Each structure stands twice: as C-alpha cells, then as structure tokens.
Amino acid sequence: MKFRTIVSAVVLTLVSTVAFAQSGSQNSNQTADKKGAQAAQPNPFSTFSKFAYGRVKTILVSSAEKMPEENYDFRPTDAVRSYGQIVGHVADAQYMFCSVALGEKNPGLKIEQTKTTKADLVAALKDAVAYCDKAYDSMTDASGNQMVKLFDLDMPKLGVLNVNNMHDMEHYGNLVTYMRLKNIVPPTSEQPPAAPQKK
C-alpha cells in the first residue's frame, strides 16, 4: 500500500536522523566543552516539528479561505476529490494523527463526508488545527520518543506528528494544482507586500 510505504520511509528517516543527531550531538558537546559554554537548545526535534506545522497549517487554512465558494465542488477529473473534499479530508486527518500523538480517542467527525459548504469546511479545518496545536504544543523530545501504533506500525509520537506534516504538504500540493487551474495564486506563491517607501 502506497501510504504504508511512505510511513515506513518516514520511520527509517527518523531513526537515521536521530542516530545522526545523537552522534553529532556528542561531537558538538565535545567541541562545546573545548570552547567553553555553548548552550544546547532544549527539545530541538519537537521544536522544529512544531515550527514546520506552524507554516503548513497557515497555508492550509489560507488555501481553504482563498478558494471561492463556487469552486469547492471543483475536481479536475471524476477520479479525484473535489476541492472541498480535500479540505475535509485534511481536517479529518488532523484528528486522526494528533489523537494518536495525544493518546486520545479519535473523535471521528467524518468531516469530508458530512460538510459541504465553504463556511463549514473552513470552520472544521480551523477546529482541527486547534486540536493539533495541543499535540505540537505539549510535545517534547522526551515525550516524542514514546512509541505508539500508527497503521499497525510502531512509531514514536514525534514521528506521528512528522507524518501529519508530510500528509498536510501532500494535500497542499493538490490544493495548489486546483487553485492554479482556476487562475488563483496559492498562498506560497503570493508576493509579499511591498516595503513602505522611505521619505
């Protein structure tokens, strides 16, 4: 199954990253001891995961808000989800992944199947993001090492949050394509506002 392959690859990447970071950490600690006091940042892995999520949740919500209501039923072909269904799917996935990381029961809201209007889907996505905020805000490197089950695979909690980030970006890519087909500039391609002119 394609998704299992992706999750397995993420697990291998996380394990190798942690191993590399630990060896690098030992080397940097030795260097720091030699140089004097070089303070290590606490919780670098969970801090970065939260930082990455902060970016992706912003562009997802912005994408949901940016697409006009009349395009929420748009799908390039019958074989794929509509724009609104992708927004609902992403909202459902936030609860699925983050409930695992939080050690809670997935509320199973079935947003993709039950919400159809832009207003309802944007509100549901914002609620789902707020739910995930709890998982990212409370995660530390130590708690992120706790093993949990995701799709019958043993995975650290921090790995679950990283899979959530990957899943979000995967579907942001879908939303970008739909927006481009409707001649809408996606959030990540918007030009920043011009700097005020000095007098």
Side-chain angles (χ1 to χ4, degrees):
M1 193 170 159
K2 181 181 167 190
F3 195 78
R4 285 180 188 263
T5 304
I6 292 171
V7 171
S8 298
V10 170
V11 171
L12 288 174
T13 302
L14 287 171
V15 170
S16 62
T17 302
V18 170
F20 177 76
Q22 287 174 342
S23 70
S25 174
Q26 290 170 352
N27 292 338
S28 65
N29 285 343
Q30 291 168 356
T31 305
D33 289 343
K34 290 177 186 174
K35 287 185 177 179
Q38 188 179 30
Q41 178 181 341
N43 301 305
F45 295 110
S46 53
T47 299
F48 180 78
S49 183
K50 179 180 175 180
F51 168 79
Y53 183 64
R55 174 67 174 142
V56 73
K57 73 180 183 181
T58 300
I59 59 177
L60 283 172
V61 171
S62 179
S63 298
E65 292 174 332
K66 195 166 190 183
M67 183 64 97
E69 169 88 42
E70 63 267 19
N71 294 335
Y72 258 63
D73 287 334
F74 172 65
R75 63 180 83 211
T77 73
D78 290 339
V80 297
R81 289 179 170 103
S82 69
Y83 194 91
Q85 286 172 324
I86 295 173
V87 173
H89 171 73
V90 169
D92 283 328
Q94 301 302 297
Y95 288 108
M96 180 187 67
F97 290 121
C98 292
S99 64
V100 171
L102 287 166
E104 298 178 357
K105 185 176 187 295
N106 181 358
L109 301 178
K110 298 187 189 302
I111 297 162
E112 181 182 351
Q113 288 80 27
T114 60
K115 307 289 185 191
T116 56
T117 68
K118 175 180 176 176
D120 286 347
L121 284 162
V122 170
L125 180 60
K126 287 180 177 179
D127 288 345
V129 162
Y131 180 79
C132 265
D133 283 343
K134 295 188 306 181
Y136 286 90
D137 289 344
S138 64
M139 194 65 62
T140 64
D141 286 10
S143 64
N145 280 331
Q146 296 171 7
M147 300 301 287
V148 292
K149 287 277 189 192
L150 180 67
F151 304 119
D152 295 323
L153 294 171
D154 292 320
M155 186 179 297
K157 287 183 175 182
L158 194 51
V160 174
L161 294 185
N162 288 336
V163 171
N164 183 55
N165 286 345
M166 290 173 55
H167 182 260
D168 286 344
M169 285 306 293
E170 175 187 0
H171 288 297
Y172 174 66
N174 299 140
L175 297 176
V176 165
T177 303
Y178 287 37
M179 283 187 275
R180 288 293 189 188
L181 289 170
K182 291 296 183 180
N183 296 313
I184 296 169
V185 177
T188 47
S189 296
E190 291 174 334
Q191 293 298 317
Q197 297 291 326
K198 291 184 179 179
K199 294 182 179 180

